[in-house]
Amino acid sequence: MTKVMGAAMRRIQAGNALTAFGIGFTVPFLYIYVAQVRGLGSMAATSAFVAFAVSALVALPLTGRVIDRRGPVPVVIGAAVAASAGALSLGLSTGVVPILLSALALGAGQAVMQPALATMIVWCSTPSTRTRAFALQFFMQNLGLGIGGLIGGQIVDESRPASFTLLFGIEAVMFLVLAGVILTVRMPHAPSIKDAVPRDESRAGGAWKRLLEHKAMVKLLVLGFVIFFACYGQFESGLAAFGTEAAGISPSTLGFALAANTGAIVVAQFVVLKLVEKRRRSRVIALVGLIWTVAWLIAGFSGLGHGSAMMAAAAFITTYGLFGIGEAMLSPTLAPLVADLAPEGSVGQYNSAFALVKQMALALGPLGVPLGAGVPMLYIGVFVVVSLGIACLALRLGKQLSPVQDRPSLLKREAAAVAVKAAEPERVPA
């Protein structure tokens, strides 16, 4: 990694952390703000969440092409300004329509930022350093979200709408800080793994057509959808419904479970990184599927009612902790793999496609609520099977990857071998 790449990476990571800090101020309190503080009811609050999802699904299919043509820097800046305007407007809005319009702007801005920032990280890293770069990004995001939520919880007061306006104002400022930081970044050329996709110049078609003809990427998109639906999509929907309805978990215990999830990520991230960065990515993802299978079985135990309330709470908190360990293993695995599969000039398109799949999975996540609340053991059984499916899909994906794509640490070995060979004195024939 060059000095230019290192300096750019530090600024990107700092801006990313500050943005997460700002988002953490508002994410836990959006439902309360719309439904109770503004007095608009649960339907309006739910509609605000739907607006977030819809704006992301509309914006992301167009984002990748813009990133690849114009570069990620102007896209991040534009998205940050849009998100800032949406956040500030949301904090000042009192009616349903202004809140929904604000949520659309905020949701679109945040969604577009994801693949653009990911592309910047790709451009400022090499295939051999990308794993650690994305692990650091995930760590900083969770740390920022956790600290922001903690401080926001001390400021917020349901009897004072102005306290919520302050939270959204802080979030708006943090988006502008991100735009300012990114303006100072000098972007180097994007290094990539050569021949990620075999090129056939006789084949014509748009970027999406070429992406969908890339078998390994299509399998990764399917795998990503299942991962995000089975984990992230259930955190605050189906699994929360299961915990409160079947396991008798109190809202405060649910808060502890979410804290355990974040804590597990923060504590385990770099310990896990040392274990996964030299191993095959496909096998790491398969192991996550097995860990999550155990997590769902433990969640099922919490809902059986055979133990005390304390045992049920401990089991439920353990479930969220195990999910966090799995997330810590995926953060240095999935995003770098997307980048290493992308052919030259298509990193933005591939990152946007993966972000789109993630948003679709999150939008469909609440479909688990009826099962989690009404047929809890069937709900657990379904997601045990889904988690085992993650392991199977990951192993099948591994067969489509080149040795370097599956284990980028091989690049370091090759570089070391070349260096040793170059250092050897040249033999002069007698």
Side-chain angles (χ1 to χ4, degrees), residues 215-290:
K215 292 183 180 179
M217 186 59 189
V218 170
K219 287 189 175 183
L220 180 57
L221 291 175
V222 172
L223 176 60
F225 178 87
V226 177
I227 286 172
F228 290 120
F229 180 73
C231 176
Y232 300 88
Q234 302 306 311
F235 270 2
E236 297 177 8
S237 58
L239 189 54
F242 169 85
T244 54
E245 296 294 335
I249 300 299
S250 66
S252 61
T253 300
L254 182 58
F256 279 118
L258 289 168
N261 175 260
T262 302
I265 292 169
V266 171
V267 171
Q269 183 64 82
F270 292 102
V271 176
V272 167
L273 178 61
K274 292 181 179 179
L275 298 175
V276 305
E277 63 182 347
K278 293 184 179 180
R279 288 168 174 77
R280 294 184 182 179
R281 287 165 167 169
S282 56
R283 293 186 180 179
V284 170
I285 300 171
L287 179 58
V288 171
L290 297 179

Side-chain angles (χ1 to χ4, degrees), residues 341-354:
L341 284 173
E344 186 176 355
S346 297
V347 175
Q349 184 72 39
Y350 275 56
N351 279 326
S352 295
F354 198 72

Side-chain angles (χ1 to χ4, degrees), residues 258-396:
L258 289 168
N261 175 260
T262 302
I265 292 169
V266 171
V267 171
Q269 183 64 82
F270 292 102
V271 176
V272 167
L273 178 61
K274 292 181 179 179
L275 298 175
V276 305
E277 63 182 347
K278 293 184 179 180
R279 288 168 174 77
R280 294 184 182 179
R281 287 165 167 169
S282 56
R283 293 186 180 179
V284 170
I285 300 171
L287 179 58
V288 171
L290 297 179
I291 291 173
W292 286 356
T293 299
V294 174
W296 282 107
L297 291 172
I298 293 174
F301 169 78
S302 72
L304 291 175
H306 294 327
S308 65
M310 186 174 293
M311 287 180 62
F316 200 72
I317 291 171
T318 300
T319 295
Y320 274 76
L322 288 173
F323 274 122
I325 292 173
E327 291 174 73
M329 295 171 67
L330 290 175
S331 64
T333 305
L334 288 177
L337 180 54
V338 173
D340 290 345
L341 284 173
E344 186 176 355
S346 297
V347 175
Q349 184 72 39
Y350 275 56
N351 279 326
S352 295
F354 198 72
L356 177 61
V357 164
K358 178 180 179 179
Q359 290 296 329
M360 290 173 63
L362 295 178
L364 294 175
L367 292 177
V369 171
L371 275 181
V375 196
M377 289 303 114
L378 177 60
Y379 174 74
I380 294 296
V382 166
F383 281 97
V384 165
V385 173
V386 168
S387 297
L388 290 173
I390 290 172
C392 295
L393 289 171
L395 294 176
R396 292 186 64 182

